[in-house]
Amino acid sequence: MPHSHAETAPLPHTLEHSRTRPVHWLATATAMAAVIAAAGLVQPATGTPATDTTASTVETPAKGPQATAPDPAGVTYPLDCKGAPQTVTTSAQGDLDGDGRPETVAAVRCDAGSGTPPHAIYVLTRDRAGGADPRVVATLLDTARRQTATELTVRDGLVTATLVGYSSPDVPRYSPDTKQLAKWRWRDGKFRQELTDSAARSV
């Protein structure tokens, strides 16, 4: 921002004496110095505040483009669907390992056309080099547990999923009777499941 200059005060009228004594010059110079100093400090109420040109300017570093989370669509998951297509029913994004780059957590199941196939939950990441396709780096839930993910969130590095399942093989597949709140967090180089509410309960 340019420096705002105050207007210079008008010069005092010339004295009528044709010959000025030194003491008069001294008094005049002192008065002029006081007026100019005051003009430099006082700014109009609507003007721009004076800028201290001796102060260093701190620039805010430019931020680069935000890293994008991997797209779960189009990824081939390690899920055996016996020839049926794979379906991503829900996903969530967030930085899970604290490196500043978001990961994607995807709930995937086989599109069997009938019934309620169980879910698997996978973690996807993208290489720093860029241009590479997203890849699966972890399995949080395997289909062998015969559970279905109804909710999936990522917040503050914590993956939370609401899982419904069956208390026994006799329970119809269309009527799950247990519910579990499962949580996973990246710790010590791997995803560890939180113990909070780890037991399934009846619904």
Side-chain angles (χ1 to χ4, degrees):
M1 183 177 294
H3 183 75
S4 176
H5 296 279
E7 294 181 1
T8 304
L11 294 175
H13 293 293
T14 303
L15 297 178
E16 295 179 358
H17 301 80
S18 59
R19 297 178 61 186
T20 307
R21 289 177 297 178
V23 66
H24 289 165
W25 280 110
L26 179 61
T28 302
T30 302
M32 285 290 295
V35 169
I36 293 174
L41 293 175
V42 178
Q43 299 288 330
T46 58
T48 304
T51 302
D52 183 3
T53 57
T54 62
S56 59
T57 302
V58 178
E59 296 183 358
T60 303
K63 294 183 178 179
Q66 294 288 335
T68 57
D71 184 357
V75 176
T76 300
Y77 298 93
L79 180 62
D80 184 9
C81 291
K82 310 296 183 184
Q86 300 175 348
T87 300
V88 178
T89 59
T90 185
S91 63
Q93 294 78 32
D95 183 6
L96 300 179
D97 56 2
D99 66 348
R101 299 171 60 86
E103 286 78 32
T104 296
V105 183
V108 187
R109 69 183 181 189
C110 298
D111 188 3
S114 61
T116 308
H119 271 114
I121 298 179
Y122 300 106
V123 178
L124 307 176
T125 191
R126 188 189 302 276
D127 292 334
R128 287 181 177 273
D133 293 332
R135 56 190 178 90
V136 176
V137 293
T139 301
L140 303 184
L141 179 72
D142 192 79
T143 55
R145 293 180 56 174
R146 313 298 298 176
Q147 292 178 304
T148 301
T150 59
E151 295 179 12
L152 185 64
T153 62
V154 173
R155 182 175 298 174
D156 298 329
L158 184 67
V159 181
T160 303
T162 300
L163 307 174
V164 296
Y166 311 92
S167 58
S168 74
D170 298 329
V171 178
R173 300 296 95 179
Y174 58 81
S175 182
D177 62 344
T178 64
K179 189 175 185 179
Q180 176 185 4
L181 184 64
K183 300 179 180 181
W184 297 269
R185 188 184 295 276
W186 178 261
R187 189 170 66 249
D188 300 329
K190 65 175 62 178
F191 285 98
R192 299 180 182 273
Q193 186 169 352
E194 300 280 338
L195 297 178
T196 304
D197 195 22
S198 60
R201 60 184 184 275
S202 299
V203 293

